[in-house]
Structure formats: structure tokens, C-alpha cells
Amino acid sequence: SQTGAELSVSELTVGYGGGPVLHDISITVRPGEVVALLGANGAGKTTLLSALTGRVRAASGSVTFDGRDLRGMRTEDRARLGLALVPDGQSVVGELTVDENLRLGALWRHRGKAREAAIRQIYGMFEPLDRRKHADGHQLSGGERQMLALGRALIAEPRLIALDEPSLGLAPLVVAQIMRTLRETARERGLTVLLAEQNVTGALSIADRGVVVNLGRIVADGDAKALAEDPSIRHAYLGF
Ligand code: ATP
């Protein structure tokens, strides 16, 4: 399987027409590294992920992935380079079964026996999906749906995976399982991970580094463990 690639965001400013929402953001995520992107509701996390996939255009600054400038590149070409986004919750097709959803993710990456092996591997990572493989997407619990969204992204063997609040609305045990699987996959495959979360404790428990965004600006960037233990950061921005 493939190894991760470096993401480099440099002095990025993004807005929606009413003035910038992100100001001068610089973040580097190295191959195989898990970086937690933290911040309250409205801090700008989703906007940053949208700038990576090309859904919103940068007013200034740059984003490079594996050394390639992504400016002006279409979303599908970014995906072909190995950038995968797992949006919050809604990417599962409700009318298709779990198995069909997974096959959709494998479509352009694997054929024949390799496809079957890739699908078996995802079922090995997420046993609840294996048990529910013939259930329709709309019958799944929130946790199962999040596992399926993640499994469907991973099956295409991306080089970087960006997740938007995968723990939103899920029970703590399910969050722990998803986080653990993400951590293990990142280790095994050398996958680069950018994890946007309001669940600070969960995210920092598996991250190498944390980046804290407040009102569209980076207010802290450092070792995950050090951040979690820094009282001034914790009280001011992380809410615990
Ligand atoms: P959340 O956890 O709620 O998704 P977030 O940290 O991801 O929060 P964003 O969704 O990126 O934050 O929002 C950052 C700011 O940009 C907010 O003030 C929001 O109102 C604004 N914003 C987001 N999307 C749009 C849009 N499509 N048009 C205009 N403003 C937007």
C-alpha cells in the first residue's frame, strides 16, 4: 500500500465574500503524522478542509500536497493525487447497502481479487460493518455510518485523509474505536491525517500534534501531549 504525502498550507486566507474567515493560516502535516485541528464551533475548521478539497478558493496563500501546488486544481484531480475528505456524517448513500457503499469507494482503485481483499480488510478493521454488510445505509446507527464513511475513504488508499468531526454525536466507546482504528491505520500505512474535532480529548489522544484555531487564526501549534497539558491553552480555547 501507499505511503502518506506531505501537506503544506502556507499563509492561507479564505473568505466567502464577506471578509476573510481564515487569516494567514500555515500548517504542515508530514507523511504519517496525525494532526488534530481544534477549535470551537465556527472557528474555521470546515473552511480549511474545504480549501484543501477545492470547494472554496483561497483569497491568498498556497496549499501544496506532495510538492504539487493545488491552486486551480479540480476536486477530482486532488482526489486522484490521494487527498481524501471524510465530511461530517452525510457521505453514506442511504439507498445502498454497506457492502455497496464500500464497493463504490473501491471502484476506481481496485479490481477483481484486489478489490475483494481490500473490502475484507475494511471489514476486519470495523467488525460492526461486517455484521451489517447487507443493511441499507439509512438503517445504520451514527457510529456505523461514520465507520462506513471512513472505510469507504480508506479503501481508495488515499495518501492523506482529512476528517471533519468524525466523533460528532457518537457514544464514547464508538469514538474510541474510530480513533484507535485511525491511529493504527496511520501507523501501518504511513497515512497522513488531518483530524478536525471539537472532541479535544479524543483527538489529542491519538494525534502527534495539535493545531488550535480561534476566530480563523492559529493560536497554538505543538506537540499533542504538551497542548493537552498546557493550562493556558486548555482554559482559553479547549474548554477543559
Ligand atoms: P463547525 O464546527 O460549526 O463546522 P468550523 O470551525 O468548521 O465550525 P466553519 O464552518 O469553517 O467553522 O465556519 C467558519 C466561519 O465561516 C463561520 O463564521 C461561518 O459562519 C462562516 N461560513 C462557513 N461557511 C460559510 C458559507 N458557505 N458562506 C458564508 N460564511 C460561511
Side-chain angles (χ1 to χ4, degrees), residues 19 26 35 38-39 45 48-49 53 58 71 75 82 105 109 117-118 125 182 202 206 216 221 225:
S26 297
V35 171
L38 307 170
K45 303 181 299 296
L48 179 59
L49 299 189
T53 59
R71 199 173 338 203
T75 301
R109 172 65 79 189
M125 280 178 195
L182 201 54
I206 63 153
D221 179 343
K225 199 151 171 283

Side-chain angles (χ1 to χ4, degrees), residues 75-131:
T75 301
E76 56 265 39
D77 292 327
R78 296 176 191 226
R80 214 161 279 134
L81 278 184
L83 253 173
L85 175 72
V86 181
D88 52 357
Q90 304 311 317
S91 67
V92 164
V93 184
E95 292 73 27
L96 298 182
T97 65
V98 167
D99 205 63
E100 288 163 344
N101 268 282
L102 276 183
R103 280 166 197 282
L104 210 56
L107 214 54
W108 56 276
R109 172 65 79 189
H110 306 284
R111 289 168 193 284
K113 278 186 184 159
R115 182 178 301 169
E116 299 314 310
I119 289 168
R120 271 200 308 278
Q121 194 186 20
I122 300 296
Y123 286 138
M125 280 178 195
F126 297 110
E127 274 147 26
L129 293 184
D130 194 16
R131 288 196 295 274

